[in-house]
Amino acid sequence: MSDRQSPATALAPKTSEQVVLMGAISSLCGIITRPAGDPTGLPIILLNTGIIHRVGHHRMNVTIARRYAAAGHPVIRFDFGGIGDSPVQSETLPPLDANLISIGEVCDWLETNLGQSRFILMGLCSGADHSIIYAARDPRIAGVVLVDPSIPRTFRFHVNNVARDLTRRAVWTNLATGRGRTWARIRRLAGRSGATADEEPRNEPFARPELEHPEAVAFLEKAYQDAVDNGAEILAVFTGGHDFQHNYRRQILDALPRVKFGKQLDLHFYADCDHTFTFERHRERLLRLTDEWLARIMAAEQREETSRRQIG
Amino acid sequence: MSPFFFGTSRRRLFGVYHPAQTSRATAKAVVLCYPWGHEYINAHRSMVKLAGVLAEGGYHVLRFDYFGTGDSGGEAVDVTLKGCREDILTAAEELLDMSGGESVSLVGLRLGAALAAEVAVAERGLVDRLVLWDPVISGPDHVEAMFRAAANMPNGMGPPPLRAPEKGGGHEICGFPLTDTQRDQIAGVDLIRLVPKLPRKSVTLVTQPAPAHERYLEAVGDAGAQGERFLRITDRAAWHEDWPRNAGMMPVDVINRIGAWMA
């Protein structure tokens, strides 16, 4: 993106924003931010994070939409059914299935209305999960930006976790004074009851051990592999904010060992960033990385287009 | 519901219109006034739910984003309280125009409640009913609370960082900029001063205790209000982040009580 105007300074008086209603019943609510002139970049689709509506945490999706529209990409942010301003789309389908259909409908809308047929998906957390699962099913997806997607914990994750715990003074204080989880565990193993409420087994409430189930691993491996095989480039950024689930850069490679990412995975670990990128400097860091990745995607797309024309 | 942009090309506002689901003898309209900053993000789904409840109760409802917030035009540093009050008036006019309503009521949450009260007092006769949901009563208290929230986020990230002067200065509060100008404006909020001038049909609902409540309650009492004008309800705070789900909780009881009071 170095040959373009810096998106950061071009927060775009000349971009335009429009409400669009998409989907089978024209009720998927989105905002499309369009570049001033003809688009020069692939359309970007921003997905919900959990149940937060399309504006995103810290209004991040609005910032992203305006930034990349200023750089030539049409950008659409929309709400899945039952979130924000979109009513539930299906009373019978599970939310994941309904949401995947919705992503397809947004792609269809963009193809029909903009005449573009290659797309970028961006998502944080559940938005990342939807992105990769959808990319496995639709070869129109040229790339996905995944921020803190769900991946299983690994042996090295647990080693890192223990090593990190050992650097905490509280751990040693508890060991010396007979308090804390470790002693509670020992007392339970020794069959001694009488543990205090503080010492009840902690179920690591935020971690998702179900992702370590072989079926879940196989599902994720298939999703990533199919997305790669479909030609999708992957920018994956993991943060220290979800250190109960991932804590090192290469965890996805260890967790999903059968996926052959080839050169399509651009992998980063931002240990000092929280899950929703609360600080402006962290958001700017993420967006600078995305700028560079998008520039590479666009260059590759242009090369493909040129070779297609030459063959044609 | 119908999402749309309204306002002017220089000040585009995003709103969602919920038409009344049942007919009433006279068309009545309600504008919802959102909170600001991170509280807006957390509370959004509760406000959507409230709009649905009011529409089912026969009200035409418009909820909208102030300029510089949500899907509306502008950037977060562009937000001014004066601008927000003007946006509420623009939204009220838009809603009356769309719905054919003869009067408009305002329901505001947190800073949105303070803004709604200021509009109701400044535009006497315009506002029929006024609902103040966990309103910001004292501006200085609210500024202090914002800084406290920023310093005590669930992920424990320390004091709010300063923002560069070229970006508008001020601090970052839970992911949103708070310029010095915005801070001064918020610090100027004084709901107690407005109590005697509030519309006759006003109610305040609080779910979370705040230091200013006793003084506020005294002011409501001095204004000769009925008991119903200040309701303490045990329920969740719509604007709080339910970590690590990173979203707000929905206080169903409060929402239903507002619906019932409006009916």
Side-chain angles (χ1 to χ4, degrees):
Chain A
M1 204 166 285
S2 56
D3 58 338
R4 301 182 200 181
Q5 191 178 9
S6 164
T9 57
L11 280 176
K14 289 183 179 169
T15 60
S16 64
E17 292 185 323
Q18 179 190 352
V19 176
V20 289
L21 293 172
M22 302 160 288
I25 51 173
S26 297
S27 63
L28 279 176
C29 178
I31 307 286
I32 183 164
T33 310
R34 295 176 191 258
D38 288 337
T40 55
L42 297 181
I44 297 171
I45 302 168
L46 301 172
L47 304 182
N48 293 118
T49 300
I51 55 173
I52 292 292
H53 77 301
R54 65 190 172 277
V55 163
H57 287 95
H58 329 305
R59 211 181 179 217
M60 185 156 64
N61 287 350
V62 177
T63 303
I64 292 172
R66 291 175 183 174
R67 179 185 185 105
Y68 290 117
H73 298 267
V75 185
I76 198 159
R77 55 183 189 271
F78 79 101
D79 289 322
F80 288 132
I83 297 175
D85 299 320
S86 295
V88 171
Q89 299 293 297
S90 168
E91 298 289 351
T92 53
L93 288 174
L96 174 62
D97 293 345
N99 294 345
L100 293 174
I101 290 171
S102 295
I103 297 171
E105 289 170 337
V106 173
C107 292
D108 294 344
W109 188 93
L110 287 166
E111 191 162 7
T112 302
N113 288 277
L114 304 185
Q116 291 177 275
S117 56
R118 299 276 287 162
F119 312 107
I120 305 285
L121 298 178
M122 280 191 196
L124 163 67
C125 196
S126 64
D129 296 338
H130 280 91
S131 295
I132 194 65
I133 295 168
Y134 185 80
R137 301 170 182 203
D138 189 340
R140 292 179 296 179
I141 304 304
V144 289
V145 179
L146 313 177
V147 183
D148 277 351
S150 301
I151 58 168
R153 297 173 301 176
T154 62
F155 176 74
R156 185 173 156 192
F157 165 88
H158 291 292
V159 170
N160 288 350
N161 225 15
V162 170
R164 189 191 56 183
D165 277 355
L166 291 177
T167 64
R168 291 178 178 163
R169 180 183 292 183
V171 170
W172 295 104
T173 309
N174 285 346
L175 276 176
T177 57
R179 291 180 302 179
R181 277 189 291 155
T182 304
W183 280 110
R185 203 172 293 140
I186 290 168
R187 278 192 286 272
R188 273 195 307 282
L189 288 173
R192 279 181 53 192
S193 58
T196 66
D198 294 350
E199 294 172 338
E200 286 301 308
R202 201 167 75 174
N203 195 20
E204 297 297 349
F206 309 140
R208 297 176 60 193
E210 73 275 13
L211 289 174
E212 289 142 39
H213 192 280
E215 277 182 22
V217 173
F219 175 85
L220 287 172
E221 286 184 327
K222 180 165 172 32
Y224 278 91
Q225 191 62 63
D226 287 353
V228 168
D229 293 346
N230 277 341
E233 297 286 334
I234 301 171
L235 172 61
V237 180
F238 293 90
T239 71
H242 265 197
D243 60 0
F244 49 82
Q245 192 62 42
H246 47 248
N247 62 18
Y248 65 101
R249 190 177 80 90
R250 295 176 62 82
Q251 185 173 326
I252 189 172
L253 303 177
D254 294 340
L256 308 175
R258 283 182 285 274
V259 181
K260 294 179 177 60
F261 285 105
K263 293 183 177 173
Q264 287 167 243
L265 175 64
D266 188 355
L267 185 57
H268 300 261
F269 184 67
Y270 287 178
D272 57 336
C273 294
D274 71 301
H275 181 55
T276 63
F277 288 78
T278 301
F279 291 154
E280 285 178 16
R281 67 178 186 279
H282 291 164
R283 297 201 286 275
E284 188 54 37
R285 181 183 178 195
L286 175 66
L287 292 180
R288 277 199 307 272
L289 175 71
T290 309
D291 291 347
E292 292 165 9
W293 179 83
L294 270 176
R296 287 201 302 275
I297 299 287
M298 288 310 303
E301 286 286 314
Q302 278 156 11
R303 281 197 300 275
E304 286 252 328
E305 180 64 26
T306 305
S307 73
R308 268 197 298 270
R309 279 191 195 143
Q310 285 169 347
I311 291 166
Chain B
M1 54 185 155
S2 307
F4 65 111
F5 281 104
F6 63 103
T8 65
S9 59
R10 292 175 63 84
R11 199 171 176 89
R12 294 192 83 208
L13 303 175
F14 173 81
V16 180
Y17 172 54
H18 297 246
Q21 300 298 301
T22 54
S23 61
R24 304 173 69 104
T26 54
K28 292 192 177 260
V30 182
V31 172
L32 300 192
C33 305
Y34 288 142
W36 179 82
H38 65 290
E39 295 188 345
Y40 157 84
I41 298 292
N42 294 330
H44 185 269
R45 68 196 197 106
S46 290
M47 297 300 264
V48 175
K49 178 69 179 171
L50 175 60
V53 166
L54 293 170
E56 282 171 15
Y59 281 91
H60 298 277
V61 183
L62 178 62
R63 52 189 172 83
F64 77 101
D65 296 328
Y66 312 111
F67 188 71
T69 74
D71 284 310
S72 287
E75 301 303 322
V77 292
D78 299 332
V79 177
T80 65
L81 296 199
K82 178 172 179 284
C84 291
R85 289 190 293 269
E86 289 168 359
D87 293 342
I88 293 172
L89 284 174
T90 305
E93 285 167 17
E94 185 73 29
L95 179 57
L96 290 175
D97 196 35
M98 287 179 81
S99 65
E102 294 167 1
S103 64
V104 68
S105 298
L106 302 179
V107 179
L109 173 60
R110 303 290 290 150
L111 190 60
L115 292 164
E118 289 171 351
V119 168
V121 168
E123 304 290 328
R124 290 193 76 80
L126 173 76
V127 176
D128 178 25
R129 289 169 177 248
L130 178 68
V131 177
L132 308 177
W133 176 4
D134 276 309
V136 168
I137 293 171
S138 155
D141 285 0
H142 186 55
V143 168
E144 194 183 319
M146 283 197 291
F147 276 80
R148 205 166 44 241
N152 294 286
M153 281 187 283
N155 35 7
M157 290 196 298
L162 284 166
R163 299 183 71 252
E166 63 270 21
K167 288 183 169 180
H171 292 79
E172 290 182 43
I173 300 293
C174 302
F176 284 85
L178 178 71
T179 66
D180 293 339
T181 306
Q182 290 168 337
R183 184 172 71 172
D184 291 345
Q185 290 176 2
I186 293 171
V189 169
D190 181 2
L191 196 56
I192 292 174
R193 183 178 54 83
L194 299 180
V195 165
K197 302 172 196 164
L198 293 179
R200 192 174 53 81
K201 289 182 270 187
S202 303
V203 68
T204 302
L205 302 95
V206 299
T207 63
Q208 309 299 308
H213 280 165
E214 293 312 315
R215 284 183 287 130
Y216 183 74
L217 195 50
E218 267 176 39
V220 170
D222 291 346
Q226 302 300 311
E228 202 194 30
R229 280 186 69 176
F230 187 91
L231 302 175
R232 290 184 201 272
I233 299 172
T234 304
D235 208 339
R236 297 170 170 198
W239 67 93
H240 280 184
E241 182 180 9
D242 179 21
W243 199 79
R245 279 167 279 278
N246 302 115
M249 293 174 286
M250 191 181 292
V252 176
D253 193 25
V254 178
I255 291 168
N256 288 336
R257 293 283 284 272
I258 292 172
W261 187 83
M262 290 295 289

